[in-house]
Amino acid sequence: MNDELYRLKNITKAYGERHVLQIDALTIERGEILALVGPSGAGKSTLLRLLNFLEVPTHGRIRFQNAEFSASQPMPLSLRRRVTTVFQRPFLLNRSVSANVRYGLRLRGRRDHTHAVEQALEQVGLANLARQPARTLSGGEAQRVALARALVIRPDVLLLDEPTANLDPQNIALIEKIVADLNQQQGTTLVLVTHNIFQARRLAKRAALMMDGRIVETAVTETFFQNPRDPRTAAFIRGDIVY
Amino acid sequence: MALSLRVSGLALLISTAAGIPTGALLGLTRFRGRPFLVTLMYTGMGFPPVVVGLFVYLFLSRNGPLAGIESALIPALFTPGAMVLAQSIIAFPLVAGFTMAAVMGVDPQLRLQVQALGATHWQTTLTILAEARMGVLVSVIAGFGGIISEVGAVMLVGGNIDGRTRVLTTAIVLETRKGNFDLAIALGIILLGLTFLANWLMLRLQGSDE
Protein backbone atom coordinates (compact mmCIF):
# COMPACT_ATOMS: atom_id res chain seq x y z
CA MET A 1 0.00 0.00 0.00
CA ASN A 2 1.77 3.06 -1.23
CA ASP A 3 -0.58 5.91 -0.59
CA GLU A 4 1.23 9.20 -0.51
CA LEU A 5 -0.25 11.89 1.72
CA TYR A 6 2.45 14.54 1.84
CA ARG A 7 5.23 15.19 -0.61
CA LEU A 8 7.84 17.82 0.20
CA LYS A 9 10.48 18.80 -2.28
CA ASN A 10 13.25 21.37 -1.87
CA ILE A 11 11.52 23.10 0.99
CA THR A 12 13.31 25.90 2.79
CA LYS A 13 12.14 28.04 5.64
CA ALA A 14 13.99 31.15 6.76
CA TYR A 15 13.23 33.78 9.36
CA GLY A 16 14.98 36.82 7.98
CA GLU A 17 18.55 35.75 7.37
CA ARG A 18 18.34 32.64 9.48
CA HIS A 19 17.68 29.39 7.61
CA VAL A 20 15.92 26.97 9.91
CA LEU A 21 14.76 24.33 7.49
CA GLN A 22 16.12 22.84 4.31
CA ILE A 23 14.46 19.66 3.23
CA ASP A 24 15.41 18.13 -0.09
CA ALA A 25 12.73 15.48 -0.13
CA LEU A 26 10.29 13.91 2.27
CA THR A 27 7.14 11.91 1.72
CA ILE A 28 4.67 10.87 4.37
CA GLU A 29 2.35 8.00 3.66
CA ARG A 30 -1.26 7.68 4.66
CA GLY A 31 -1.68 5.70 7.83
CA GLU A 32 1.94 5.67 8.93
CA ILE A 33 3.56 6.86 12.14
CA LEU A 34 6.63 8.92 11.48
CA ALA A 35 8.85 10.01 14.37
CA LEU A 36 11.10 13.04 14.02
CA VAL A 37 14.02 13.03 16.41
CA GLY A 38 17.03 15.26 16.76
CA PRO A 39 18.64 17.91 18.94
CA SER A 40 16.71 21.06 19.79
CA GLY A 41 16.89 23.74 17.18
CA ALA A 42 17.00 21.12 14.43
CA GLY A 43 13.79 22.44 12.86
CA LYS A 44 11.44 19.66 13.94
CA SER A 45 8.75 21.96 15.28
CA THR A 46 9.09 24.27 12.29
CA LEU A 47 8.48 21.30 10.03
CA LEU A 48 5.32 20.44 11.97
CA ARG A 49 4.04 24.00 11.59
CA LEU A 50 4.54 23.72 7.85
CA LEU A 51 2.75 20.37 7.79
CA ASN A 52 -0.20 21.97 9.58
CA PHE A 53 -0.09 24.89 7.10
CA LEU A 54 0.36 27.36 9.95
CA GLU A 55 3.40 28.88 8.29
CA VAL A 56 4.34 29.02 4.64
CA PRO A 57 7.64 27.69 3.29
CA THR A 58 10.03 30.38 2.09
CA HIS A 59 10.75 28.33 -1.02
CA GLY A 60 9.28 25.16 -2.39
CA ARG A 61 5.91 23.49 -2.33
CA ILE A 62 4.23 20.99 -0.10
CA ARG A 63 1.84 18.64 -1.79
CA PHE A 64 -0.96 17.42 0.48
CA GLN A 65 -3.59 15.07 -0.92
CA ASN A 66 -4.38 16.81 -4.20
CA ALA A 67 -3.49 20.37 -3.28
CA GLU A 68 -0.29 22.39 -3.30
CA PHE A 69 0.85 24.68 -0.54
CA SER A 70 3.47 27.38 -1.02
CA ALA A 71 4.26 30.98 -0.17
CA SER A 72 1.89 32.18 -2.86
CA GLN A 73 -0.70 29.45 -2.56
CA PRO A 74 -2.60 28.92 0.68
CA MET A 75 -4.07 25.55 1.53
CA PRO A 76 -7.86 25.48 1.10
CA LEU A 77 -9.61 25.63 4.47
CA SER A 78 -11.38 22.30 4.05
CA LEU A 79 -8.04 20.51 3.56
CA ARG A 80 -6.26 22.53 6.26
CA ARG A 81 -8.96 21.28 8.61
CA ARG A 82 -7.98 17.67 7.92
CA VAL A 83 -4.81 18.25 9.94
CA THR A 84 -4.29 19.31 13.54
CA THR A 85 -1.52 19.53 16.13
CA VAL A 86 -1.19 18.69 19.81
CA PHE A 87 1.64 20.79 21.19
CA GLN A 88 3.92 20.25 24.15
CA ARG A 89 1.70 22.46 26.28
CA PRO A 90 -2.06 21.85 26.15
CA PHE A 91 -3.18 25.49 25.51
CA LEU A 92 -6.69 24.94 26.74
CA LEU A 93 -9.19 27.75 26.44
CA ASN A 94 -10.47 29.30 29.63
CA ARG A 95 -13.76 27.40 29.45
CA SER A 96 -15.14 24.09 30.64
CA VAL A 97 -13.51 20.83 29.60
CA SER A 98 -16.37 19.90 27.29
CA ALA A 99 -16.41 23.40 25.73
CA ASN A 100 -12.73 22.90 24.93
CA VAL A 101 -13.34 19.55 23.29
CA ARG A 102 -16.33 20.96 21.43
CA TYR A 103 -14.28 23.87 20.09
CA GLY A 104 -12.99 22.30 16.87
CA LEU A 105 -16.46 21.08 15.94
CA ARG A 106 -17.96 24.50 16.51
CA LEU A 107 -15.32 26.06 14.27
CA ARG A 108 -16.56 23.73 11.57
CA GLY A 109 -20.14 24.79 12.13
CA ARG A 110 -21.22 21.42 13.48
CA ARG A 111 -23.95 21.43 16.07
CA ASP A 112 -24.45 17.70 16.65
CA HIS A 113 -21.51 17.52 19.00
CA THR A 114 -22.80 16.17 22.31
CA HIS A 115 -22.19 12.52 21.53
CA ALA A 116 -18.87 13.11 19.79
CA VAL A 117 -17.58 15.15 22.73
CA GLU A 118 -18.61 12.49 25.24
CA GLN A 119 -16.97 9.81 23.15
CA ALA A 120 -13.70 11.73 22.81
CA LEU A 121 -13.56 12.37 26.54
CA GLU A 122 -14.19 8.70 27.20
CA GLN A 123 -11.39 7.82 24.83
CA VAL A 124 -8.94 9.77 26.99
CA GLY A 125 -10.55 8.54 30.22
CA LEU A 126 -11.86 11.89 31.42
CA ALA A 127 -15.62 11.62 30.89
CA ASN A 128 -16.16 12.47 34.56
CA LEU A 129 -14.48 15.88 34.23
CA ALA A 130 -16.62 17.20 31.34
CA ARG A 131 -18.14 20.07 33.28
CA GLN A 132 -15.06 21.24 35.14
CA PRO A 133 -13.33 24.49 34.23
CA ALA A 134 -10.31 23.58 32.14
CA ARG A 135 -7.85 25.52 34.26
CA THR A 136 -8.51 23.36 37.33
CA LEU A 137 -6.96 20.29 35.67
CA SER A 138 -3.58 18.75 36.39
CA GLY A 139 -0.90 18.77 33.70
CA GLY A 140 -1.59 15.22 32.56
CA GLU A 141 -5.36 15.71 32.50
CA ALA A 142 -5.00 18.96 30.57
CA GLN A 143 -2.86 17.29 27.95
CA ARG A 144 -5.38 14.48 27.59
CA VAL A 145 -8.14 17.06 27.10
CA ALA A 146 -5.98 18.68 24.42
CA LEU A 147 -5.72 15.26 22.81
CA ALA A 148 -9.50 14.73 23.02
CA ARG A 149 -9.99 18.15 21.42
CA ALA A 150 -7.86 16.99 18.50
CA LEU A 151 -9.47 13.51 18.26
CA VAL A 152 -13.00 14.81 18.14
CA ILE A 153 -12.52 16.41 14.73
CA ARG A 154 -11.30 13.08 13.34
CA PRO A 155 -8.30 14.47 11.49
CA ASP A 156 -6.57 12.60 8.68
CA VAL A 157 -3.27 13.71 10.13
CA LEU A 158 -2.43 14.27 13.77
CA LEU A 159 0.82 16.12 14.44
CA LEU A 160 2.30 15.65 17.89
CA ASP A 161 4.93 18.12 19.05
CA GLU A 162 6.53 16.52 22.09
CA PRO A 163 3.12 15.79 23.54
CA THR A 164 4.41 13.96 26.60
CA ALA A 165 7.54 15.96 27.40
CA ASN A 166 6.33 17.24 30.76
CA LEU A 167 4.29 14.29 31.91
CA ASP A 168 4.58 11.46 34.40
CA PRO A 169 5.08 7.86 33.17
CA GLN A 170 1.46 6.90 33.72
CA ASN A 171 0.13 9.73 31.57
CA ILE A 172 2.82 9.06 28.98
CA ALA A 173 1.70 5.44 28.72
CA LEU A 174 -1.95 6.49 28.47
CA ILE A 175 -1.32 8.99 25.71
CA GLU A 176 0.89 6.61 23.76
CA LYS A 177 -1.83 3.99 23.91
CA ILE A 178 -4.50 6.43 22.74
CA VAL A 179 -2.54 7.59 19.72
CA ALA A 180 -1.42 4.07 18.81
CA ASP A 181 -5.07 2.93 18.91
CA LEU A 182 -6.07 5.91 16.84
CA ASN A 183 -3.57 4.96 14.18
CA GLN A 184 -4.60 1.31 14.18
CA GLN A 185 -8.36 1.67 14.36
CA GLN A 186 -8.95 4.78 12.30
CA GLY A 187 -5.86 4.86 10.17
CA THR A 188 -4.93 8.34 11.31
CA THR A 189 -1.53 9.39 10.06
CA LEU A 190 0.75 10.50 12.89
CA VAL A 191 3.85 12.62 12.82
CA LEU A 192 5.52 12.68 16.19
CA VAL A 193 8.29 15.01 17.29
CA THR A 194 10.00 13.69 20.37
CA HIS A 195 13.18 14.00 22.39
CA ASN A 196 12.57 10.61 23.80
CA ILE A 197 14.08 8.06 21.43
CA PHE A 198 12.47 5.22 23.36
CA GLN A 199 9.09 6.71 22.63
CA ALA A 200 9.98 6.98 18.96
CA ARG A 201 10.98 3.36 18.99
CA ARG A 202 7.81 2.24 20.76
CA LEU A 203 5.40 4.10 18.48
CA ALA A 204 6.85 4.82 15.10
CA LYS A 205 6.90 2.79 11.92
CA ARG A 206 9.49 5.09 10.44
CA ALA A 207 11.92 7.47 12.06
CA ALA A 208 13.88 10.44 10.79
CA LEU A 209 16.82 12.27 12.32
CA MET A 210 16.90 16.01 11.82
CA MET A 211 19.91 18.25 12.39
CA ASP A 212 20.43 21.89 11.51
CA GLY A 213 17.21 22.02 9.53
CA ARG A 214 18.06 19.02 7.39
CA ILE A 215 16.92 15.44 7.39
CA VAL A 216 19.98 13.29 7.99
CA GLU A 217 18.40 9.91 7.63
CA THR A 218 14.96 8.39 7.27
CA ALA A 219 14.43 4.69 7.77
CA VAL A 220 12.02 2.07 9.00
CA THR A 221 12.16 2.20 12.78
CA GLU A 222 14.02 -1.08 13.26
CA THR A 223 16.68 -0.23 10.74
CA PHE A 224 16.93 3.29 12.07
CA PHE A 225 17.73 2.12 15.57
CA GLN A 226 19.62 -1.11 14.93
CA ASN A 227 21.43 -0.48 11.74
CA PRO A 228 21.61 3.23 10.94
CA ARG A 229 23.37 4.29 7.76
CA ASP A 230 24.63 7.63 8.94
CA PRO A 231 27.24 7.78 11.73
CA ARG A 232 25.44 10.81 13.18
CA THR A 233 22.28 8.73 13.61
CA ALA A 234 24.27 6.05 15.37
CA ALA A 235 25.83 8.63 17.67
CA PHE A 236 22.48 10.25 18.40
CA ILE A 237 20.91 6.93 19.33
CA ARG A 238 23.84 6.09 21.59
CA GLY A 239 23.24 9.37 23.34
CA ASP A 240 26.45 11.02 22.24
CA ILE A 241 26.40 14.71 21.55
CA VAL A 242 26.29 15.13 17.81
CA TYR A 243 27.52 18.09 15.81
CA MET B 1 -29.27 62.68 35.20
CA ALA B 2 -31.07 60.82 32.44
CA LEU B 3 -29.23 62.98 29.95
CA SER B 4 -25.88 62.13 31.55
CA LEU B 5 -26.58 58.45 31.10
CA ARG B 6 -27.97 58.87 27.61
CA VAL B 7 -25.04 60.93 26.34
CA SER B 8 -22.32 58.83 27.95
CA GLY B 9 -24.10 55.56 27.22
CA LEU B 10 -24.46 56.33 23.55
CA ALA B 11 -20.89 57.61 23.34
CA LEU B 12 -19.69 54.42 25.03
CA LEU B 13 -21.62 52.29 22.57
CA ILE B 14 -20.06 54.09 19.63
CA SER B 15 -16.52 53.99 21.02
CA THR B 16 -16.87 50.31 21.98
CA ALA B 17 -18.12 49.36 18.54
CA ALA B 18 -15.12 51.11 17.00
CA GLY B 19 -12.57 50.57 19.78
CA ILE B 20 -12.71 46.80 20.28
CA PRO B 21 -12.10 45.94 16.60
CA THR B 22 -9.37 48.58 16.43
CA GLY B 23 -7.71 47.25 19.57
CA ALA B 24 -7.93 43.67 18.30
CA LEU B 25 -6.41 44.69 14.96
CA LEU B 26 -3.54 46.57 16.59
CA GLY B 27 -2.94 43.78 19.08
CA LEU B 28 -3.02 40.85 16.69
CA THR B 29 -1.47 42.08 13.46
CA ARG B 30 1.78 43.69 12.43
CA PHE B 31 1.75 46.17 9.59
CA ARG B 32 3.58 49.25 8.44
CA GLY B 33 2.57 52.28 10.40
CA ARG B 34 1.37 50.26 13.37
CA PRO B 35 3.90 51.73 15.84
CA PHE B 36 2.79 55.20 14.80
CA LEU B 37 -0.88 54.36 15.31
CA VAL B 38 -0.12 52.82 18.71
CA THR B 39 1.73 55.97 19.78
CA LEU B 40 -1.17 58.07 18.55
CA MET B 41 -3.60 55.93 20.53
CA TYR B 42 -1.56 56.10 23.72
CA THR B 43 -1.44 59.85 23.32
CA GLY B 44 -5.20 59.81 22.92
CA MET B 45 -5.57 57.87 26.18
CA GLY B 46 -3.91 60.68 28.07
CA PHE B 47 -5.33 63.52 26.04
CA PRO B 48 -7.08 66.20 28.11
CA PRO B 49 -10.81 65.88 27.40
CA VAL B 50 -11.19 69.63 27.38
CA VAL B 51 -8.85 69.85 24.39
CA VAL B 52 -10.95 67.29 22.54
CA GLY B 53 -13.92 69.47 23.41
CA LEU B 54 -12.13 72.49 22.00
CA PHE B 55 -11.44 70.75 18.68
CA VAL B 56 -15.00 69.49 18.37
CA TYR B 57 -16.20 72.99 19.21
CA LEU B 58 -14.03 74.54 16.51
CA PHE B 59 -15.09 71.93 13.96
CA LEU B 60 -18.78 72.38 14.61
CA SER B 61 -18.85 76.14 15.15
CA ARG B 62 -20.31 78.49 12.60
CA ASN B 63 -16.92 79.22 11.04
CA GLY B 64 -15.76 75.61 11.30
CA PRO B 65 -15.12 73.29 8.35
CA LEU B 66 -18.24 71.21 8.99
CA ALA B 67 -20.64 74.08 9.52
CA GLY B 68 -21.97 74.26 5.97
CA ILE B 69 -22.69 70.53 5.64
CA GLU B 70 -26.20 69.39 6.41
CA SER B 71 -26.04 65.79 7.57
CA ALA B 72 -27.67 63.68 10.20
CA LEU B 73 -24.23 62.45 11.21
CA ILE B 74 -22.88 65.90 11.99
CA PRO B 75 -24.55 67.28 15.07
CA ALA B 76 -25.07 70.98 15.74
CA LEU B 77 -23.11 72.72 18.46
CA PHE B 78 -24.82 72.98 21.87
CA THR B 79 -26.86 69.81 21.37
CA PRO B 80 -26.59 66.41 23.04
CA GLY B 81 -25.37 65.09 19.68
CA ALA B 82 -22.28 67.28 19.88
CA MET B 83 -21.66 65.99 23.41
CA VAL B 84 -21.94 62.39 22.23
CA LEU B 85 -19.45 63.12 19.47
CA ALA B 86 -16.90 64.65 21.86
CA GLN B 87 -17.27 61.86 24.41
CA SER B 88 -16.99 59.15 21.74
CA ILE B 89 -13.68 60.65 20.70
CA ILE B 90 -12.49 60.73 24.31
CA ALA B 91 -13.50 57.13 25.08
CA PHE B 92 -12.35 55.56 21.82
CA PRO B 93 -8.58 55.47 22.53
CA LEU B 94 -9.25 54.19 26.05
CA VAL B 95 -11.33 51.27 24.78
CA ALA B 96 -8.98 50.52 21.88
CA GLY B 97 -5.82 50.84 23.99
CA PHE B 98 -6.94 48.59 26.82
CA THR B 99 -8.40 46.06 24.37
CA MET B 100 -5.07 45.98 22.54
CA ALA B 101 -3.20 45.37 25.78
CA ALA B 102 -5.63 42.63 26.81
CA VAL B 103 -5.37 40.87 23.47
CA MET B 104 -1.59 41.10 23.46
CA GLY B 105 -1.57 39.48 26.90
CA VAL B 106 -2.93 36.25 25.41
CA ASP B 107 -0.15 33.75 24.71
CA PRO B 108 0.73 33.93 20.98
CA GLN B 109 1.13 30.15 21.07
CA LEU B 110 -2.56 29.87 21.87
CA ARG B 111 -3.28 31.59 18.56
CA LEU B 112 -1.21 28.97 16.81
CA GLN B 113 -3.10 26.21 18.62
CA VAL B 114 -6.45 27.72 17.70
CA GLN B 115 -5.40 27.93 14.05
CA ALA B 116 -4.11 24.38 14.20
CA LEU B 117 -7.60 23.32 15.26
CA GLY B 118 -8.95 24.82 12.05
CA ALA B 119 -9.93 28.38 12.92
CA THR B 120 -10.13 31.02 10.21
CA HIS B 121 -8.61 34.47 10.85
CA TRP B 122 -11.96 35.76 11.91
CA GLN B 123 -12.63 32.83 14.27
CA THR B 124 -9.15 33.20 15.72
CA THR B 125 -9.75 36.87 16.50
CA LEU B 126 -13.08 36.14 18.18
CA THR B 127 -11.54 33.33 20.23
CA ILE B 128 -8.68 35.56 21.39
CA LEU B 129 -11.14 38.32 22.34
CA ALA B 130 -13.12 35.73 24.30
CA GLU B 131 -9.95 34.58 26.07
CA ALA B 132 -9.15 38.22 26.91
CA ARG B 133 -12.75 38.93 27.93
CA MET B 134 -11.86 40.25 31.38
CA GLY B 135 -9.43 42.78 29.91
CA VAL B 136 -11.88 43.76 27.18
CA LEU B 137 -14.50 44.42 29.82
CA VAL B 138 -12.03 46.57 31.74
CA SER B 139 -11.47 48.58 28.56
CA VAL B 140 -15.19 49.32 28.34
CA ILE B 141 -15.33 50.25 32.02
CA ALA B 142 -12.32 52.54 31.60
CA GLY B 143 -14.02 54.21 28.64
CA PHE B 144 -17.19 54.70 30.64
CA GLY B 145 -15.30 56.04 33.64
CA GLY B 146 -13.47 58.46 31.38
CA ILE B 147 -16.61 60.07 30.03
CA ILE B 148 -19.29 59.86 32.71
CA SER B 149 -17.06 61.94 34.98
CA GLU B 150 -15.90 64.27 32.25
CA VAL B 151 -16.85 67.95 32.49
CA GLY B 152 -14.66 70.12 30.23
CA ALA B 153 -15.69 68.81 26.83
CA VAL B 154 -19.42 68.58 27.52
CA MET B 155 -19.33 72.07 28.97
CA LEU B 156 -17.68 73.46 25.83
CA VAL B 157 -19.67 71.71 23.13
CA GLY B 158 -22.92 71.33 25.07
CA GLY B 159 -22.97 74.74 26.64
CA ASN B 160 -24.60 73.57 29.92
CA ILE B 161 -28.06 74.71 28.80
CA ASP B 162 -30.68 74.03 31.43
CA GLY B 163 -33.03 71.24 30.39
CA ARG B 164 -31.17 70.63 27.13
CA THR B 165 -27.48 69.98 27.56
CA ARG B 166 -26.94 70.18 31.28
CA VAL B 167 -25.52 66.95 32.64
CA LEU B 168 -24.56 65.96 36.18
CA THR B 169 -20.97 67.12 36.00
CA THR B 170 -21.72 70.51 34.49
CA ALA B 171 -24.56 70.98 36.98
CA ILE B 172 -22.14 70.29 39.83
CA VAL B 173 -19.76 72.94 38.53
CA LEU B 174 -22.58 75.47 38.21
CA GLU B 175 -24.11 74.80 41.63
CA THR B 176 -20.70 74.98 43.33
CA ARG B 177 -20.03 78.31 41.67
CA LYS B 178 -23.41 79.60 42.90
CA GLY B 179 -22.58 78.48 46.40
CA ASN B 180 -25.29 75.78 46.47
CA PHE B 181 -22.98 73.27 48.06
CA ASP B 182 -25.80 71.04 49.33
CA LEU B 183 -27.18 70.57 45.87
CA ALA B 184 -23.69 70.11 44.40
CA ILE B 185 -22.89 67.42 46.95
CA ALA B 186 -26.21 65.71 46.33
CA LEU B 187 -25.54 65.68 42.59
CA GLY B 188 -22.06 64.36 43.26
CA ILE B 189 -23.46 61.48 45.28
CA ILE B 190 -25.94 60.70 42.51
CA LEU B 191 -23.09 60.65 39.98
CA LEU B 192 -21.07 58.32 42.17
CA GLY B 193 -24.03 56.02 42.69
CA LEU B 194 -24.74 55.99 38.97
CA THR B 195 -21.18 55.11 38.10
CA PHE B 196 -21.13 52.37 40.69
CA LEU B 197 -24.40 50.94 39.41
CA ALA B 198 -23.30 51.02 35.79
CA ASN B 199 -20.04 49.23 36.55
CA TRP B 200 -21.80 46.67 38.68
CA LEU B 201 -24.27 46.00 35.88
CA MET B 202 -21.49 45.59 33.33
CA LEU B 203 -19.71 43.08 35.55
CA ARG B 204 -22.93 41.15 36.09
CA LEU B 205 -23.65 41.08 32.38
CA GLN B 206 -20.24 39.60 31.79
CA GLY B 207 -21.04 36.77 34.17
CA SER B 208 -18.69 37.33 37.13
CA ASP B 209 -15.62 35.50 35.93
CA GLU B 210 -13.96 36.04 39.30
Side-chain angles (χ1 to χ4, degrees):
Chain A
M1 197 177 77
N2 222 349
D3 194 357
E4 199 176 278
L5 195 58
Y6 281 100
R7 171 179 285 272
L8 285 69
K9 215 164 177 209
N10 297 323
I11 296 287
T12 62
K13 178 70 186 173
Y15 298 111
E17 292 289 289
R18 206 160 56 90
H19 281 258
V20 293
L21 208 60
Q22 188 142 18
I23 291 176
D24 300 334
L26 175 69
T27 57
I28 299 170
E29 274 159 36
R30 192 184 293 276
E32 79 162 323
I33 303 181
L34 172 67
L36 300 171
V37 298
S40 26
K44 307 184 295 290
S45 297
T46 308
L47 177 56
L48 280 201
R49 287 199 293 276
L50 292 183
L51 294 177
N52 204 163
F53 318 111
L54 298 172
E55 288 180 19
V56 293
T58 311
H59 293 292
R61 292 161 180 281
I62 297 175
R63 185 161 190 80
F64 174 66
Q65 298 190 359
N66 290 317
E68 298 245 321
F69 176 65
S70 70
S72 57
Q73 202 174 3
M75 182 55 58
L77 182 65
S78 60
L79 278 178
R80 178 158 77 80
R81 285 182 167 171
R82 303 309 311 153
V83 186
T84 191
T85 308
V86 172
F87 293 96
Q88 183 175 352
R89 286 194 289 143
F91 296 113
L92 297 183
L93 301 167
N94 190 3
R95 310 173 181 184
S96 72
V97 166
S98 59
N100 266 283
V101 178
R102 199 183 307 135
Y103 181 74
L105 296 175
R106 289 192 51 191
L107 290 179
R108 287 159 178 76
R110 285 190 32 199
R111 323 200 84 214
D112 53 324
H113 29 57
T114 321
H115 182 66
V117 169
E118 277 171 14
Q119 206 181 9
L121 278 171
E122 245 159 61
Q123 233 174 319
V124 299
L126 293 175
N128 54 326
L129 298 182
R131 307 177 78 172
Q132 283 222 23
R135 75 198 130 66
T136 61
L137 302 181
S138 74
E141 289 166 345
Q143 190 65 326
R144 274 147 69 198
V145 171
L147 190 58
R149 182 174 61 177
L151 299 181
V152 80
I153 59 183
R154 296 186 165 253
D156 292 341
V157 184
L158 178 58
L159 307 170
L160 300 157
D161 194 351
E162 299 188 42
T164 61
N166 301 322
L167 301 183
D168 56 289
Q170 198 197 345
N171 270 301
I172 293 177
L174 264 169
I175 286 176
E176 284 186 8
K177 170 133 185 15
I178 295 162
V179 297
D181 285 352
L182 189 70
N183 173 261
Q184 259 178 15
Q185 289 162 13
Q186 293 178 22
T188 310
T189 308
L190 303 178
V191 182
L192 166 77
V193 164
T194 181
H195 275 298
N196 181 341
I197 55 168
F198 299 106
Q199 182 170 58
R201 208 167 174 169
R202 281 194 297 269
L203 281 173
K205 294 174 187 162
R206 264 192 330 147
L209 174 70
M210 287 188 70
M211 280 175 64
D212 299 325
R214 292 169 184 277
I215 293 180
V216 173
E217 176 170 2
T218 314
V220 173
T221 307
E222 259 194 31
T223 319
F224 185 89
F225 284 101
Q226 282 169 11
N227 201 2
R229 254 191 347 262
D230 197 290
R232 287 171 294 180
T233 313
F236 185 79
I237 295 164
R238 277 201 311 273
D240 293 353
I241 294 167
V242 277
Y243 299 97
Chain B
M1 173 176 136
L3 186 66
S4 273
L5 274 185
R6 248 195 13 244
V7 166
S8 294
L10 194 56
L12 187 67
L13 226 60
I14 293 169
S15 52
T16 301
I20 290 180
T22 307
L25 182 80
L26 288 172
L28 293 176
T29 54
R30 298 286 172 271
F31 52 88
R32 273 167 67 108
R34 179 185 173 274
F36 177 71
L37 284 180
V38 170
T39 312
L40 214 62
M41 196 178 57
Y42 281 146
T43 312
M45 289 171 85
F47 213 56
V50 67
V51 181
V52 174
L54 173 65
F55 285 139
V56 172
Y57 184 95
L58 291 174
F59 261 81
L60 297 182
S61 71
R62 190 166 293 193
N63 297 323
L66 300 178
I69 309 163
E70 285 291 334
S71 159
L73 281 176
I74 300 166
L77 205 51
F78 305 128
T79 62
M83 296 154 74
V84 171
L85 176 65
Q87 293 206 334
S88 302
I89 295 171
I90 294 164
F92 169 74
L94 288 167
V95 176
F98 282 117
T99 299
M100 183 188 82
V103 157
M104 284 172 76
V106 176
D107 192 332
Q109 293 276 356
L110 182 79
R111 265 165 83 189
L112 214 59
Q113 171 71 79
V114 162
Q115 282 166 357
L117 287 166
T120 60
H121 278 295
W122 177 236
Q123 289 173 326
T124 306
T125 307
L126 286 182
T127 303
I128 300 301
L129 277 172
E131 280 299 294
R133 54 192 178 265
M134 225 31 220
V136 173
L137 179 72
V138 166
S139 83
V140 176
I141 287 175
F144 182 71
I147 54 181
I148 188 74
S149 62
E150 189 280 322
V151 55
V154 285
M155 182 81 96
L156 273 181
V157 303
N160 193 22
I161 302 166
D162 192 13
R164 288 188 48 206
T165 61
R166 180 165 302 164
V167 290
L168 278 171
T169 51
T170 54
I172 292 172
V173 172
L174 184 73
E175 297 306 331
T176 309
R177 287 267 176 77
K178 292 200 307 202
N180 294 336
F181 295 115
D182 296 353
L183 186 52
I185 289 171
L187 290 172
I189 290 170
I190 291 174
L191 182 60
L192 266 176
L194 219 58
T195 313
F196 178 80
L197 214 67
N199 279 313
W200 182 76
L201 265 175
M202 277 193 267
L203 275 169
R204 287 308 298 263
L205 267 178
Q206 205 271 330
S208 67
D209 206 75
E210 88 251 42

